[in-house]
Amino acid sequence: AQTVTQSQPEMSVQEAETVTLSCTYDTSENNYYLFWYKQPPSRQMILVIRQEAYKQQNATENRFSVNFQKAAKSFSLKISDSQLGDTAMYFCAFQANNAGNMLTFGGGTRLMVKP
Amino acid sequence: DAMVIQNPRYQVTQFGKPVTLSCSQTLNHNVMYWYQQKSSQAPKLLFHYYDKDFNNEADTPDNFQSRRPNTSFCFLDIRSPGLGDAAMYLCATSWATGELFFGEGSRLTVL
């Protein structure tokens, strides 16, 4: 079974600054995907970024990038130039290739961007 | 345009009174999921449909049932809601592999 751990229940950052959210996971699988999902207050959960485990290059989506360390089983999310609209719960999630589309979520990190 | 639509967004029910939550999708995805999310916690998978095949998580209470009459619709039935069932219920869809698309959720209050 897989586990996903987010060690920071809450974080805050000043607008325009950079923040990094941590995620570690435990698995015996070799082929898997990792995701960061964003859930704004009272709004739907949306995918922020996705990383395939077989890719060494870290995924990047505009202001969002990851630091994927496969050996260390670490998958952190960096948000650059933070905006007020980035205020949300962020969930790290794991998906094994042989488990269909089942996601294992971390406990979440509540991020507050301050003006 | 919303692709996964949940109704109602807010549902209040009395202890023990059955409730049905609905989910529809315009994506034609073959997999549909129901998650339960309690305050500030991670979503917990209740069950999912792979096409018409129903897959129940081992720890999902019998009080929770689901129906998928066609590709586009999926329902969550809570037969006798208890106070502990108050939560946000999230519907999601996907292809067999890849990203999950979530609805905005239905918040259930049990009085």
Side-chain angles (χ1 to χ4, degrees):
Chain A
Q2 285 73 230
T3 60
V4 180
T5 302
Q6 293 178 246
S7 60
Q8 304 148 315
E10 293 187 359
M11 294 190 72
S12 64
V13 63
Q14 291 296 131
E15 194 176 9
E17 293 187 349
T18 296
V19 64
T20 298
L21 309 184
S22 300
C23 174
T24 57
Y25 59 95
D26 189 23
T27 184
S28 58
E29 302 288 340
N30 196 44
N31 298 313
Y32 51 88
Y33 296 93
L34 293 162
F35 304 87
W36 279 98
Y37 278 89
K38 169 186 177 182
Q39 189 177 35
S42 301
R43 296 188 64 186
Q44 70 198 106
M45 193 174 306
I46 58 172
L47 180 67
V48 174
I49 200 163
R50 162 184 168 149
Q51 175 80 43
E52 290 91 340
Y54 66 86
K55 290 187 176 179
Q56 293 187 342
Q57 186 173 5
N58 289 323
T60 298
E61 288 288 344
N62 301 314
R63 298 182 295 107
F64 298 87
S65 61
V66 298
N67 183 4
F68 174 48
Q69 302 289 329
K70 190 172 183 179
K73 295 189 172 70
S74 171
F75 183 61
S76 61
L77 174 69
K78 185 172 82 171
I79 306 174
S80 303
D81 186 25
S82 297
Q83 301 176 0
L84 296 179
D86 295 334
T87 293
M89 281 289 287
Y90 287 82
F91 292 98
C92 178
F94 174 98
Q95 181 188 76
N97 278 22
N98 65 358
N101 251 11
M102 297 306 102
L103 287 178
T104 301
F105 285 95
T109 296
R110 185 180 300 280
L111 177 67
M112 172 75 74
V113 180
K114 299 179 178 179
Chain B
D1 289 337
M3 296 177 287
V4 181
I5 302 165
Q6 293 188 240
N7 284 299
R9 292 288 312 281
Y10 301 91
Q11 175 73 59
V12 180
T13 191
Q14 291 181 328
F15 184 95
K17 187 173 181 181
V19 66
T20 294
L21 307 177
S22 75
C23 177
S24 64
Q25 57 141 336
T26 59
L27 298 163
N28 207 35
H29 284 161
N30 58 338
V31 190
M32 295 187 78
Y33 312 78
W34 280 104
Y35 284 87
Q36 180 192 63
Q37 186 180 26
K38 296 194 175 180
S39 180
S40 299
Q41 295 182 20
K44 177 182 179 297
L45 183 64
L46 295 173
F47 24 60
H48 74 280
Y49 277 93
Y50 193 113
D51 294 320
K52 294 184 178 181
D53 293 333
F54 177 70
N55 298 273
N56 200 30
E57 293 300 297
D59 57 353
T60 298
D62 293 339
N63 196 27
F64 292 86
Q65 303 287 318
S66 185
R67 297 170 282 137
R68 189 179 185 186
N70 54 53
T71 300
S72 301
F73 284 88
C74 195
F75 299 95
L76 169 62
D77 300 308
I78 308 176
R79 293 192 296 187
S80 182
L83 298 179
D85 297 328
M88 178 74 84
Y89 290 88
L90 302 176
C91 175
T93 73
S94 74
W95 295 117
T97 60
E99 176 188 352
L100 269 64
F101 290 80
F102 286 84
E104 291 186 300
S106 293
R107 183 171 296 281
L108 177 66
T109 299
V110 182
L111 302 178

